[in-house]
């Protein structure tokens, strides 16, 4: 087991918090529409930070732990692209102005990190106490994979989000965005702006993604430090990645299918690991093979998407959903599709 001192934890969290603070400071100091060159520069920076961390970890802790970190990072990075799909759906549904999208994405990353840190702590404690949790996590991922594959050509019902519905019923709301503010004074009383609804929708989405991604990353490493680091560094570059690829997201038509296959594979890996704890004759999937399979699935999904769009330029990708769209949502979406 990887032994991590308190000072290493503090240093790692300090670096992550510092990078988040930089993001927040930039968003608050100069709200603007992020252009392609800026997005490229920040994306390269965050990927470089993650890779350097992995190389330092490998030199310090050994190749096995380094491979586990990189497998977790690539897995979380691929799952975070599905986050971007949903973020794009939310931005479109609420017509978020470009100059405020930077702030929304930064909030989404902060919320995701907090929720995942909480679930990592809970998940690690459960796995240490009860080995059968590997079986439960594996079954959860298999169920998620099946649902995502079944509804791979759908988008989540953002406007039907329970948190958003509750906010609409309980909060006084204005129809206009006001200088990136969450609350404004109107006719002598405080009212919420649509930006608050957007942040609530993002937070609710982050919660759902955390429930899926944490069991998945525990499938490639059971080290809480590596799970946290892989999640943190994958999420830190999410804001820049969104502005870099948002014009290409609807071209990745087989991404949801690829992610469903990856989740099914990780689910099966967790079940095999549980079986190995019961009977050591049950085989386990080594880390290097997990990493190779994840990379191959992502490459196949990406290449197949490119070929599909080349043959059918009208083909569009969807974020995928874990639930079938309600009839009300179908009726609401139909006029827009026909327009």
């Amino acid at each position: 087991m990887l032994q991590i001192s308190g000072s290493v934890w503090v240093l790692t969290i300090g670096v992550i918090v510092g990078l988040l603070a930089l993001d927040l400071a930039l968003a608050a100091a100069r709200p603007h529409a992020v252009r392609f060159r800026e997005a490229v520069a920040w994306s390269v920076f965050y990927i470089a930070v993650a890779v350097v961390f992995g190389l330092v970890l490998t030199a310090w802790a050994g190749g096995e732990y380094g491979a586990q970190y990189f497998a977790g990072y690539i897995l979380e990075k691929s799952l975070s692209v599905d986050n971007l799909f949903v973020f794009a759906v939310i931005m479109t549904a609420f017509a978020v102005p470009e100059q405020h999208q930077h702030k929304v994405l930064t909030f989404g990353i902060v919320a995701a990190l907090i929720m995942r840190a909480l679930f990592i702590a809970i998940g690690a404690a459960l796995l240490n106490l009860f080995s059968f949790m590997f079986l439960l996590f594996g079954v959860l991922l298999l169920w998620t994979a099946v649902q995502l594959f079944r509804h791979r050509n759908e988008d989540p019902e953002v406007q039907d989000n329970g948190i958003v519905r509750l906010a609409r019923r309980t909060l006084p709301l204005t129809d206009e965005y006001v200088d990136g503010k969450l609350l404004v004074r109107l006719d002598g009383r405080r009212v919420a702006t649509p930006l608050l609804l957007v942040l609530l929708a993002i937070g609710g989405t982050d919660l759902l993604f955390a429930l899926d991604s944490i069991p998945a990353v525990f499938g490639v490493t059971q080290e809480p430090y590596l799970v946290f680091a892989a999640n943190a560094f994958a999420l830190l570059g999410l804001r820049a990645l969104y502005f870099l690829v948002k014009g290409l997201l609807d071209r990745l038509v087989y991404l949801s299918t690829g992610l469903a296959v990856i989740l099914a594979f990780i689910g099966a890996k967790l079940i095999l690991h549980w079986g190995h704890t019961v009977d050591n004759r049950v085989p386990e999937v080594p880390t290097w093979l997990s990493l190779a399979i994840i990379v191959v699935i992502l490459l196949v999904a990406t290449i197949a998407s490119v070929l599909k769009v080349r043959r059918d330029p009208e083909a569009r990708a969807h974020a995928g959903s874990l639930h079938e769209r309600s009839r009300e949502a179908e009726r609401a979406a139909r006029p827009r599709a026909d327009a």
Side-chain angles (χ1 to χ4, degrees):
M1 183 174 181
L2 186 61
Q3 298 296 323
I4 302 296
S5 66
S7 59
V8 173
W9 271 104
V10 170
L11 179 61
T12 305
I13 294 172
V15 169
I16 292 164
V17 171
L19 291 170
L20 279 175
L22 178 62
D23 251 5
L24 287 169
L26 290 173
R30 192 167 67 92
H32 64 288
V34 178
R35 301 305 177 194
F36 182 78
R37 291 180 63 181
E38 181 182 352
V40 169
W42 280 107
S43 294
V44 171
F45 169 74
Y46 281 118
I47 291 173
V49 169
V51 171
V52 168
F53 174 85
L55 294 176
V56 171
L57 175 73
T58 300
W60 172 61
E64 175 62 24
Y65 290 119
Q68 289 180 21
Y69 162 76
F70 279 113
Y73 174 74
I74 293 173
L75 172 63
E76 290 300 321
K77 201 69 173 176
S78 63
L79 291 174
S80 72
V81 175
D82 216 32
N83 277 67
L84 296 184
F85 267 112
V86 180
F87 287 172
V89 170
I90 291 173
M91 300 285 194
T92 302
F94 289 96
V96 180
E98 281 196 0
Q99 65 269 27
H100 301 322
Q101 292 182 7
H102 190 302
K103 178 183 292 185
V104 170
L105 289 167
T106 303
F107 169 84
I109 293 169
V110 172
L113 275 172
I114 292 172
M115 291 179 188
R116 293 187 188 199
L118 177 63
F119 281 113
I120 288 169
I122 296 173
L126 289 174
L127 291 175
N128 283 332
L129 290 173
F130 310 107
S131 62
F132 70 85
M133 290 302 301
F134 288 104
L135 174 62
L136 295 182
F137 279 3
V139 172
L140 172 63
L141 288 180
L142 288 176
W143 177 86
T144 301
V146 171
Q147 292 298 101
L148 182 59
F149 182 79
R150 288 181 59 201
H151 307 300
R152 62 192 179 280
N153 294 321
E154 301 174 13
D155 289 318
E157 300 175 33
V158 175
Q159 298 281 10
D160 197 39
N161 181 292
I163 298 175
V164 173
R165 290 203 312 270
L166 179 63
R168 288 188 185 279
R169 288 198 302 265
T170 58
L171 295 176
L173 293 167
T174 179
D175 294 329
E176 303 294 331
Y177 290 92
V178 184
D179 297 328
K181 296 180 179 178
L182 302 180
L183 299 170
V184 295
R185 188 168 293 278
L186 185 65
D187 296 330
R189 64 171 185 161
R190 283 199 173 276
V191 298
T193 70
L195 192 60
L196 180 61
L197 291 182
V198 174
L199 297 186
L200 291 174
I202 291 282
T205 300
D206 284 335
L207 176 62
L208 294 177
F209 276 112
L211 289 171
D212 294 332
S213 70
I214 297 307
V217 75
F218 270 117
V220 295
T221 176
Q222 284 83 58
E223 299 292 339
Y225 178 76
L226 299 184
V227 172
F228 175 76
N231 268 273
F233 286 112
L235 288 172
L236 278 175
L238 202 58
R239 175 191 60 82
L241 187 62
Y242 173 82
F243 292 109
L244 179 63
V245 304
K246 67 177 181 178
L248 303 175
L249 284 175
D250 60 356
R251 302 289 182 174
L252 299 174
V253 293
Y254 291 121
L255 178 65
S256 292
T257 300
L259 292 179
V261 175
I262 288 173
L263 291 176
F265 163 70
I266 299 297
K269 183 177 185 294
L270 281 169
I271 293 172
L272 286 174
H273 178 76
W274 169 80
H276 187 77
T277 64
V278 177
D279 185 342
N280 59 17
R281 290 175 297 180
V282 176
E284 285 195 280
V285 180
T287 302
W288 67 266
L289 183 57
S290 298
L291 179 57
I293 289 175
I294 291 169
V295 170
V296 168
I297 292 172
L298 290 174
L299 286 175
V300 170
T302 302
I303 294 171
S305 296
V306 171
L307 295 176
K308 171 67 175 179
V309 172
R310 186 174 296 174
R311 291 195 305 268
D312 180 10
E314 299 301 317
R316 290 295 179 266
H318 297 275
S321 176
L322 299 184
H323 305 284
E324 188 173 1
R325 292 172 66 92
S326 65
R327 293 181 180 178
E328 291 78 7
E330 289 288 354
R331 285 198 295 268
R334 197 171 296 121
R336 290 198 296 273
D338 297 338

Short mmCIF file of all heavy atoms in Angstrom, two decimals, residues 204-253:
data_model
loop_
_atom_site.label_atom_id
_atom_site.label_comp_id
_atom_site.label_asym_id
_atom_site.label_seq_id
_atom_site.Cartn_x
_atom_site.Cartn_y
_atom_site.Cartn_z
N GLY A 204 -26.02 19.78 -9.38
CA GLY A 204 -26.76 18.52 -9.39
C GLY A 204 -26.16 17.52 -10.36
O GLY A 204 -26.08 16.32 -10.07
N THR A 205 -25.70 18.02 -11.51
CA THR A 205 -25.06 17.14 -12.49
C THR A 205 -23.75 16.59 -11.95
O THR A 205 -23.43 15.40 -12.12
CB THR A 205 -24.79 17.93 -13.79
OG1 THR A 205 -26.04 18.40 -14.32
CG2 THR A 205 -24.10 17.05 -14.82
N ASP A 206 -22.97 17.45 -11.28
CA ASP A 206 -21.71 17.00 -10.69
C ASP A 206 -21.93 15.88 -9.68
O ASP A 206 -21.12 14.95 -9.58
CB ASP A 206 -21.00 18.18 -10.01
CG ASP A 206 -20.35 19.12 -11.01
OD1 ASP A 206 -20.03 18.68 -12.12
OD2 ASP A 206 -20.18 20.31 -10.67
N LEU A 207 -23.01 15.98 -8.93
CA LEU A 207 -23.32 14.94 -7.95
C LEU A 207 -23.53 13.59 -8.63
O LEU A 207 -23.01 12.56 -8.20
CB LEU A 207 -24.55 15.34 -7.14
CG LEU A 207 -25.06 14.31 -6.12
CD1 LEU A 207 -24.00 14.05 -5.07
CD2 LEU A 207 -26.35 14.79 -5.47
N LEU A 208 -24.29 13.59 -9.72
CA LEU A 208 -24.56 12.34 -10.44
C LEU A 208 -23.28 11.77 -11.05
O LEU A 208 -23.04 10.56 -11.02
CB LEU A 208 -25.60 12.59 -11.53
CG LEU A 208 -27.01 12.95 -11.04
CD1 LEU A 208 -27.92 13.23 -12.23
CD2 LEU A 208 -27.58 11.83 -10.18
N PHE A 209 -22.44 12.65 -11.62
CA PHE A 209 -21.19 12.17 -12.20
C PHE A 209 -20.26 11.60 -11.15
O PHE A 209 -19.53 10.64 -11.40
CB PHE A 209 -20.48 13.31 -12.96
CG PHE A 209 -20.98 13.49 -14.37
CD1 PHE A 209 -21.69 14.61 -14.75
CD2 PHE A 209 -20.73 12.52 -15.32
CE1 PHE A 209 -22.14 14.77 -16.04
CE2 PHE A 209 -21.18 12.66 -16.63
CZ PHE A 209 -21.88 13.80 -16.99
N ALA A 210 -20.25 12.20 -9.96
CA ALA A 210 -19.40 11.69 -8.88
C ALA A 210 -19.81 10.28 -8.48
O ALA A 210 -18.96 9.42 -8.18
CB ALA A 210 -19.45 12.62 -7.68
N LEU A 211 -21.12 10.00 -8.49
CA LEU A 211 -21.61 8.68 -8.11
C LEU A 211 -21.13 7.60 -9.07
O LEU A 211 -20.99 6.43 -8.70
CB LEU A 211 -23.15 8.69 -8.07
CG LEU A 211 -23.79 9.47 -6.91
CD1 LEU A 211 -25.29 9.58 -7.11
CD2 LEU A 211 -23.48 8.79 -5.58
N ASP A 212 -20.87 7.98 -10.33
CA ASP A 212 -20.40 7.01 -11.32
C ASP A 212 -18.89 6.95 -11.42
O ASP A 212 -18.30 5.87 -11.52
CB ASP A 212 -20.97 7.35 -12.71
CG ASP A 212 -22.48 7.21 -12.75
OD1 ASP A 212 -23.00 6.38 -11.98
OD2 ASP A 212 -23.13 7.91 -13.54
N SER A 213 -18.24 8.12 -11.40
CA SER A 213 -16.81 8.15 -11.70
C SER A 213 -15.96 7.61 -10.55
O SER A 213 -14.91 7.02 -10.79
CB SER A 213 -16.36 9.57 -12.05
OG SER A 213 -16.40 10.42 -10.92
N ILE A 214 -16.39 7.82 -9.30
CA ILE A 214 -15.57 7.35 -8.18
C ILE A 214 -15.49 5.81 -8.15
O ILE A 214 -14.39 5.25 -8.04
CB ILE A 214 -16.08 7.92 -6.85
CG1 ILE A 214 -15.95 9.45 -6.85
CG2 ILE A 214 -15.32 7.33 -5.68
CD1 ILE A 214 -14.56 9.96 -7.17
N PRO A 215 -16.60 5.07 -8.24
CA PRO A 215 -16.46 3.61 -8.34
C PRO A 215 -15.61 3.18 -9.53
O PRO A 215 -14.86 2.20 -9.45
CB PRO A 215 -17.91 3.12 -8.49
CG PRO A 215 -18.73 4.18 -7.85
CD PRO A 215 -18.03 5.47 -8.17
N ALA A 216 -15.70 3.94 -10.64
CA ALA A 216 -14.92 3.58 -11.83
C ALA A 216 -13.43 3.69 -11.58
O ALA A 216 -12.66 2.79 -11.91
CB ALA A 216 -15.33 4.46 -13.01
N VAL A 217 -12.99 4.80 -10.98
CA VAL A 217 -11.55 4.98 -10.77
C VAL A 217 -11.02 4.05 -9.69
O VAL A 217 -9.86 3.63 -9.73
CB VAL A 217 -11.23 6.46 -10.45
CG1 VAL A 217 -11.63 6.83 -9.04
CG2 VAL A 217 -9.74 6.75 -10.67
N PHE A 218 -11.88 3.66 -8.72
CA PHE A 218 -11.45 2.66 -7.75
C PHE A 218 -11.24 1.30 -8.42
O PHE A 218 -10.61 0.41 -7.85
CB PHE A 218 -12.48 2.52 -6.63
CG PHE A 218 -12.22 3.43 -5.45
CD1 PHE A 218 -13.12 4.43 -5.10
CD2 PHE A 218 -11.07 3.31 -4.70
CE1 PHE A 218 -12.88 5.27 -4.04
CE2 PHE A 218 -10.81 4.14 -3.62
CZ PHE A 218 -11.72 5.13 -3.29
N GLY A 219 -11.76 1.16 -9.65
CA GLY A 219 -11.54 -0.07 -10.38
C GLY A 219 -10.13 -0.19 -10.93
O GLY A 219 -9.69 -1.30 -11.27
N VAL A 220 -9.40 0.94 -11.06
CA VAL A 220 -8.03 0.87 -11.57
C VAL A 220 -6.99 1.10 -10.47
O VAL A 220 -5.82 0.76 -10.63
CB VAL A 220 -7.80 1.88 -12.72
CG1 VAL A 220 -8.65 1.51 -13.92
CG2 VAL A 220 -8.08 3.31 -12.29
N THR A 221 -7.40 1.69 -9.35
CA THR A 221 -6.51 1.82 -8.20
C THR A 221 -7.33 1.95 -6.93
O THR A 221 -8.35 2.63 -6.92
CB THR A 221 -5.57 3.04 -8.34
OG1 THR A 221 -4.78 3.17 -7.14
CG2 THR A 221 -6.35 4.33 -8.54
N GLN A 222 -6.88 1.28 -5.88
CA GLN A 222 -7.57 1.38 -4.59
C GLN A 222 -6.85 2.34 -3.65
O GLN A 222 -7.17 2.41 -2.46
CB GLN A 222 -7.68 0.01 -3.92
CG GLN A 222 -8.75 -0.88 -4.53
CD GLN A 222 -8.27 -1.60 -5.77
OE1 GLN A 222 -7.29 -2.33 -5.73
NE2 GLN A 222 -8.94 -1.38 -6.89
N GLU A 223 -5.89 3.10 -4.16
CA GLU A 223 -5.15 4.07 -3.35
C GLU A 223 -5.90 5.40 -3.33
O GLU A 223 -6.00 6.07 -4.36
CB GLU A 223 -3.74 4.28 -3.91
CG GLU A 223 -2.88 3.04 -3.94
CD GLU A 223 -2.51 2.57 -2.54
OE1 GLU A 223 -2.58 3.38 -1.60
OE2 GLU A 223 -2.16 1.38 -2.39
N PRO A 224 -6.42 5.82 -2.16
CA PRO A 224 -7.19 7.08 -2.10
C PRO A 224 -6.42 8.28 -2.63
O PRO A 224 -7.00 9.16 -3.29
CB PRO A 224 -7.50 7.23 -0.60
CG PRO A 224 -7.45 5.83 -0.07
CD PRO A 224 -6.40 5.13 -0.86
N TYR A 225 -5.11 8.34 -2.36
CA TYR A 225 -4.31 9.47 -2.83
C TYR A 225 -4.30 9.52 -4.36
O TYR A 225 -4.44 10.59 -4.97
CB TYR A 225 -2.89 9.36 -2.30
CG TYR A 225 -1.97 10.47 -2.77
CD1 TYR A 225 -2.05 11.75 -2.23
CD2 TYR A 225 -1.01 10.22 -3.76
CE1 TYR A 225 -1.20 12.76 -2.67
CE2 TYR A 225 -0.17 11.23 -4.20
CZ TYR A 225 -0.26 12.49 -3.65
OH TYR A 225 0.57 13.50 -4.10
N LEU A 226 -4.12 8.37 -5.00
CA LEU A 226 -4.09 8.33 -6.47
C LEU A 226 -5.47 8.61 -7.05
O LEU A 226 -5.58 9.27 -8.09
CB LEU A 226 -3.58 6.96 -6.94
CG LEU A 226 -2.16 6.58 -6.51
CD1 LEU A 226 -1.76 5.26 -7.13
CD2 LEU A 226 -1.16 7.67 -6.89
N VAL A 227 -6.50 8.12 -6.39
CA VAL A 227 -7.87 8.40 -6.85
C VAL A 227 -8.13 9.90 -6.81
O VAL A 227 -8.66 10.50 -7.77
CB VAL A 227 -8.90 7.66 -5.97
CG1 VAL A 227 -10.32 8.10 -6.32
CG2 VAL A 227 -8.77 6.15 -6.16
N PHE A 228 -7.75 10.54 -5.70
CA PHE A 228 -7.95 11.98 -5.57
C PHE A 228 -7.13 12.76 -6.60
O PHE A 228 -7.64 13.66 -7.26
CB PHE A 228 -7.58 12.44 -4.16
CG PHE A 228 -7.64 13.93 -3.97
CD1 PHE A 228 -8.86 14.58 -3.82
CD2 PHE A 228 -6.48 14.69 -3.96
CE1 PHE A 228 -8.92 15.95 -3.67
CE2 PHE A 228 -6.52 16.07 -3.81
CZ PHE A 228 -7.75 16.70 -3.66
N ALA A 229 -5.86 12.39 -6.74
CA ALA A 229 -5.00 13.12 -7.68
C ALA A 229 -5.49 12.97 -9.11
O ALA A 229 -5.52 13.94 -9.87
CB ALA A 229 -3.57 12.60 -7.56
N ALA A 230 -5.88 11.75 -9.50
CA ALA A 230 -6.37 11.53 -10.86
C ALA A 230 -7.62 12.36 -11.13
O ALA A 230 -7.76 12.98 -12.19
CB ALA A 230 -6.66 10.04 -11.07
N ASN A 231 -8.55 12.39 -10.17
CA ASN A 231 -9.76 13.19 -10.33
C ASN A 231 -9.44 14.67 -10.40
O ASN A 231 -9.95 15.39 -11.26
CB ASN A 231 -10.70 12.93 -9.15
CG ASN A 231 -11.69 11.83 -9.42
OD1 ASN A 231 -12.76 12.06 -9.97
ND2 ASN A 231 -11.33 10.60 -9.07
N ALA A 232 -8.60 15.13 -9.48
CA ALA A 232 -8.30 16.56 -9.40
C ALA A 232 -7.64 17.07 -10.67
O ALA A 232 -8.06 18.08 -11.25
CB ALA A 232 -7.42 16.85 -8.18
N PHE A 233 -6.60 16.38 -11.14
CA PHE A 233 -5.89 16.86 -12.31
C PHE A 233 -6.71 16.70 -13.59
O PHE A 233 -6.55 17.48 -14.54
CB PHE A 233 -4.54 16.15 -12.43
CG PHE A 233 -3.53 16.62 -11.44
CD1 PHE A 233 -3.09 15.79 -10.42
CD2 PHE A 233 -3.04 17.91 -11.49
CE1 PHE A 233 -2.16 16.23 -9.48
CE2 PHE A 233 -2.11 18.37 -10.56
CZ PHE A 233 -1.67 17.53 -9.55
N ALA A 234 -7.59 15.70 -13.63
CA ALA A 234 -8.49 15.57 -14.79
C ALA A 234 -9.50 16.71 -14.84
O ALA A 234 -9.83 17.22 -15.91
CB ALA A 234 -9.20 14.22 -14.76
N LEU A 235 -10.00 17.12 -13.66
CA LEU A 235 -11.01 18.17 -13.61
C LEU A 235 -10.43 19.57 -13.78
O LEU A 235 -11.11 20.47 -14.30
CB LEU A 235 -11.78 18.09 -12.28
CG LEU A 235 -12.73 16.91 -12.12
CD1 LEU A 235 -13.26 16.85 -10.70
CD2 LEU A 235 -13.88 17.01 -13.11
N LEU A 236 -9.19 19.77 -13.35
CA LEU A 236 -8.62 21.11 -13.40
C LEU A 236 -8.59 21.68 -14.82
O LEU A 236 -8.78 22.87 -15.02
CB LEU A 236 -7.20 21.10 -12.81
CG LEU A 236 -7.10 21.16 -11.28
CD1 LEU A 236 -5.65 21.03 -10.84
CD2 LEU A 236 -7.71 22.46 -10.76
N GLY A 237 -8.34 20.84 -15.79
CA GLY A 237 -8.27 21.34 -17.17
C GLY A 237 -9.60 21.35 -17.88
O GLY A 237 -9.66 21.62 -19.09
N LEU A 238 -10.68 21.09 -17.15
CA LEU A 238 -11.98 20.93 -17.80
C LEU A 238 -12.48 22.24 -18.41
O LEU A 238 -13.07 22.25 -19.49
CB LEU A 238 -12.99 20.41 -16.78
CG LEU A 238 -14.22 19.70 -17.33
CD1 LEU A 238 -13.83 18.52 -18.19
CD2 LEU A 238 -15.13 19.24 -16.20
N ARG A 239 -12.24 23.37 -17.72
CA ARG A 239 -12.72 24.65 -18.22
C ARG A 239 -12.09 24.97 -19.58
O ARG A 239 -12.80 25.28 -20.54
CB ARG A 239 -12.39 25.76 -17.22
CG ARG A 239 -12.74 27.16 -17.69
CD ARG A 239 -12.15 28.21 -16.78
NE ARG A 239 -10.70 28.12 -16.72
CZ ARG A 239 -9.89 28.64 -17.63
NH1 ARG A 239 -10.39 29.26 -18.69
NH2 ARG A 239 -8.58 28.52 -17.51
N ALA A 240 -10.77 24.88 -19.65
CA ALA A 240 -10.08 25.18 -20.91
C ALA A 240 -10.47 24.19 -22.00
O ALA A 240 -10.66 24.56 -23.16
CB ALA A 240 -8.57 25.17 -20.70
N LEU A 241 -10.61 22.90 -21.60
CA LEU A 241 -10.97 21.87 -22.58
C LEU A 241 -12.36 22.14 -23.18
O LEU A 241 -12.59 21.91 -24.36
CB LEU A 241 -10.94 20.49 -21.92
CG LEU A 241 -11.13 19.29 -22.83
CD1 LEU A 241 -10.03 19.21 -23.86
CD2 LEU A 241 -11.19 18.00 -22.02
N TYR A 242 -13.27 22.67 -22.36
CA TYR A 242 -14.62 22.97 -22.85
C TYR A 242 -14.55 23.99 -23.99
O TYR A 242 -15.15 23.79 -25.06
CB TYR A 242 -15.48 23.52 -21.72
CG TYR A 242 -16.83 24.03 -22.18
CD1 TYR A 242 -17.88 23.14 -22.38
CD2 TYR A 242 -17.05 25.37 -22.42
CE1 TYR A 242 -19.13 23.59 -22.82
CE2 TYR A 242 -18.29 25.84 -22.85
CZ TYR A 242 -19.32 24.93 -23.05
OH TYR A 242 -20.54 25.40 -23.49
N PHE A 243 -13.83 25.07 -23.79
CA PHE A 243 -13.74 26.11 -24.82
C PHE A 243 -12.93 25.64 -26.02
O PHE A 243 -13.12 26.13 -27.13
CB PHE A 243 -13.12 27.38 -24.24
CG PHE A 243 -14.01 28.07 -23.24
CD1 PHE A 243 -13.70 28.05 -21.89
CD2 PHE A 243 -15.17 28.70 -23.64
CE1 PHE A 243 -14.52 28.67 -20.96
CE2 PHE A 243 -16.01 29.32 -22.72
CZ PHE A 243 -15.68 29.31 -21.38
N LEU A 244 -12.05 24.66 -25.80
CA LEU A 244 -11.25 24.14 -26.90
C LEU A 244 -12.05 23.24 -27.82
O LEU A 244 -11.92 23.29 -29.04
CB LEU A 244 -10.04 23.38 -26.34
CG LEU A 244 -9.09 22.75 -27.35
CD1 LEU A 244 -8.43 23.83 -28.20
CD2 LEU A 244 -8.02 21.94 -26.63
N VAL A 245 -12.90 22.39 -27.25
CA VAL A 245 -13.56 21.36 -28.05
C VAL A 245 -15.07 21.52 -28.16
O VAL A 245 -15.74 20.66 -28.73
CB VAL A 245 -13.26 19.95 -27.49
CG1 VAL A 245 -11.77 19.72 -27.41
CG2 VAL A 245 -13.90 19.75 -26.12
N LYS A 246 -15.64 22.63 -27.63
CA LYS A 246 -17.10 22.73 -27.62
C LYS A 246 -17.68 22.69 -29.03
O LYS A 246 -18.81 22.22 -29.24
CB LYS A 246 -17.56 23.98 -26.88
CG LYS A 246 -17.23 25.31 -27.53
CD LYS A 246 -17.82 26.45 -26.72
CE LYS A 246 -17.53 27.79 -27.35
NZ LYS A 246 -18.14 28.91 -26.60
N GLY A 247 -16.91 23.17 -30.01
CA GLY A 247 -17.39 23.10 -31.38
C GLY A 247 -17.29 21.71 -31.98
O GLY A 247 -17.87 21.43 -33.03
N LEU A 248 -16.54 20.82 -31.31
CA LEU A 248 -16.34 19.46 -31.82
C LEU A 248 -17.14 18.42 -31.05
O LEU A 248 -17.21 17.27 -31.48
CB LEU A 248 -14.85 19.09 -31.74
CG LEU A 248 -13.87 20.02 -32.48
CD1 LEU A 248 -12.44 19.58 -32.20
CD2 LEU A 248 -14.15 20.04 -33.97
N LEU A 249 -17.73 18.82 -29.92
CA LEU A 249 -18.40 17.84 -29.06
C LEU A 249 -19.50 17.08 -29.80
O LEU A 249 -19.65 15.87 -29.63
CB LEU A 249 -19.00 18.54 -27.83
CG LEU A 249 -18.01 18.95 -26.74
CD1 LEU A 249 -18.74 19.74 -25.66
CD2 LEU A 249 -17.34 17.73 -26.13
N ASP A 250 -20.28 17.82 -30.62
CA ASP A 250 -21.39 17.14 -31.28
C ASP A 250 -20.93 16.22 -32.41
O ASP A 250 -21.74 15.54 -33.04
CB ASP A 250 -22.41 18.16 -31.80
CG ASP A 250 -21.82 19.11 -32.83
OD1 ASP A 250 -20.60 19.04 -33.07
OD2 ASP A 250 -22.58 19.94 -33.36
N ARG A 251 -19.61 16.17 -32.67
CA ARG A 251 -19.07 15.26 -33.67
C ARG A 251 -18.66 13.91 -33.08
O ARG A 251 -18.43 12.96 -33.82
CB ARG A 251 -17.84 15.89 -34.35
CG ARG A 251 -18.14 17.22 -35.03
CD ARG A 251 -18.98 17.04 -36.25
NE ARG A 251 -19.23 18.29 -36.95
CZ ARG A 251 -19.86 18.38 -38.11
NH1 ARG A 251 -20.32 17.28 -38.70
NH2 ARG A 251 -20.08 19.54 -38.67
N LEU A 252 -18.52 13.83 -31.76
CA LEU A 252 -18.08 12.59 -31.12
C LEU A 252 -19.29 11.67 -30.90
O LEU A 252 -19.69 11.39 -29.78
CB LEU A 252 -17.37 12.91 -29.81
CG LEU A 252 -16.11 13.76 -29.93
CD1 LEU A 252 -15.58 14.13 -28.55
CD2 LEU A 252 -15.04 13.04 -30.74
N VAL A 253 -19.84 11.18 -32.00
CA VAL A 253 -21.13 10.51 -31.95
C VAL A 253 -21.08 9.17 -31.22
O VAL A 253 -22.11 8.68 -30.76
CB VAL A 253 -21.69 10.32 -33.38
CG1 VAL A 253 -22.04 11.64 -34.00
CG2 VAL A 253 -20.70 9.57 -34.25
#
